[in-house]
Amino acid sequence: MSELKIRRIRLRNWMTTRDSEIEFPEKGLVLVLGNNPASGGKMQSVGSGKTGVGEALARALAGVNGRFTNLGHYSSDDAGNKDMYVKVDTELHGKPFTVEMGYKCVELSKTGEGLRFTYAGQPPVERGHINETRQEIISALNITPDLAAWTVYIDGDRLKFNRMSERASVGLLMTALRQPS
């Protein structure tokens, strides 16, 4: 998995995110911060989508269930729990690798869950059953299903990053990663 570089993630109707695209830098640490103006100044980051970004990446790339087992439960579409779409553009071994997943969306499946991937300019791979496609993604990433289940992202609010200085937060993360600050 160390040969995988995340370049971009596109989210549509994913939890609190209606439509957004996040570009990732070539190198360095990525901190996702949130602001929820609907909170009226109270608990401003709650519900802003920080954890949702991590769940989208973990679910798309490794098939890790987050809060919900059914992909449709992640949809924020008010008109029938549909049109949810996640696209993760990465680079695997120096070649483009894209994973798309969705629920009742035109790109993948109008009736339920959909999953496909493309690698190195080859035609898209979308098997008859999502689990078959998922196994090919896990194989391409060279991770075992057990390792995929251990996919982790850090939720900063649980670590009280919002009460730490930026320097202390980065220092803590880099120490956890055993890297110099």
Side-chain angles (χ1 to χ4, degrees):
M1 186 119 163
S2 62
E3 294 293 323
L4 181 75
K5 296 178 184 176
I6 300 172
R7 298 295 184 207
R8 177 182 319 107
I9 183 170
R10 164 111 193 273
L11 304 170
R12 185 179 69 230
N13 290 329
W14 176 265
M15 300 181 72
T16 60
T17 304
R18 293 289 183 197
D19 195 4
S20 184
E21 188 169 284
I22 301 169
E23 296 273 342
F24 289 84
E26 285 288 320
K27 62 181 181 176
L29 181 66
V30 175
L31 294 175
V32 178
L33 304 172
N35 186 19
N36 184 356
S39 69
K42 299 174 186 153
M43 301 172 64
Q44 288 187 9
S45 69
V46 174
S48 63
K50 302 178 307 295
T51 301
V53 171
E55 284 194 61
L57 286 167
R59 180 86 180 227
L61 294 175
V64 176
N65 288 341
R67 290 174 252 193
F68 307 112
T69 55
N70 181 327
L71 199 57
H73 290 134
Y74 284 99
S75 177
S76 61
D77 180 69
D78 295 329
N81 204 21
K82 62 179 181 172
D83 197 32
M84 186 280 300
Y85 178 71
V86 174
K87 180 178 181 184
V88 183
D89 291 312
T90 70
E91 188 177 290
L92 181 62
H93 305 294
K95 298 175 183 170
F97 183 75
T98 299
V99 176
E100 297 172 275
M101 71 175 182
Y103 183 76
K104 294 186 180 179
C105 64
V106 296
E107 292 88 347
L108 298 169
S109 172
K110 294 179 183 178
T111 59
E113 294 187 21
L115 178 68
R116 75 174 165 215
F117 72 94
T118 56
Y119 180 57
Q122 298 294 315
V125 175
E126 184 174 11
R127 301 294 176 219
H129 195 278
I130 287 176
N131 289 338
E132 293 171 1
T133 307
R134 172 65 56 212
Q135 288 307 314
E136 287 195 46
I137 292 170
I138 288 173
S139 177
L141 295 177
N142 195 26
I143 58 175
T144 65
D146 289 338
L147 180 60
W150 279 79
T151 299
V152 175
Y153 58 94
I154 298 172
D155 189 332
D157 278 346
R158 291 185 186 166
L159 295 177
K160 305 298 182 211
F161 280 135
N162 56 346
R163 294 187 185 142
M164 299 172 74
S165 70
E166 182 177 333
R167 182 181 199 94
S169 297
V170 170
L172 176 63
L173 277 176
M174 296 310 281
T175 299
L177 298 171
R178 298 179 185 212
Q179 299 291 319
S181 296

